[in-house]
Amino acid sequence: MFVLSGDFATHPIVASVTSANPSNIGDYLEFTFSGTFDDNGTTRTISGECRVQRDADQNY
């Protein structure tokens, strides 16, 4: 989890998972995110996508 603004109501950043839950080692978790954040009084927009591979020691 990351926080660019302490006030979600004013500057929400929403993530959407676009892949299945990585149940096996080597599987990927993919998600997109978008929203706004406060940069010293200026509202900025952020968006992107992420792909993370499950490693052998991540047995949650």
Side-chain angles (χ1 to χ4, degrees):
M1 183 171 162
F2 58 91
V3 177
L4 294 174
S5 173
D7 186 356
F8 185 80
T10 302
H11 297 289
I13 296 176
V14 178
S16 298
V17 175
T18 58
S19 67
N21 190 13
S23 56
N24 298 307
I25 294 169
D27 287 352
Y28 286 92
L29 173 66
E30 298 171 333
F31 62 93
T32 60
F33 60 92
S34 63
T36 61
F37 65 98
D38 178 40
D39 181 17
N40 294 319
T42 301
T43 298
R44 305 280 186 191
T45 302
I46 187 170
S47 64
E49 57 187 57
C50 186
R51 184 174 192 225
V52 181
Q53 187 176 30
R54 183 176 171 191
D55 197 4
D57 63 351
Q58 296 173 332
N59 190 17
Y60 307 123

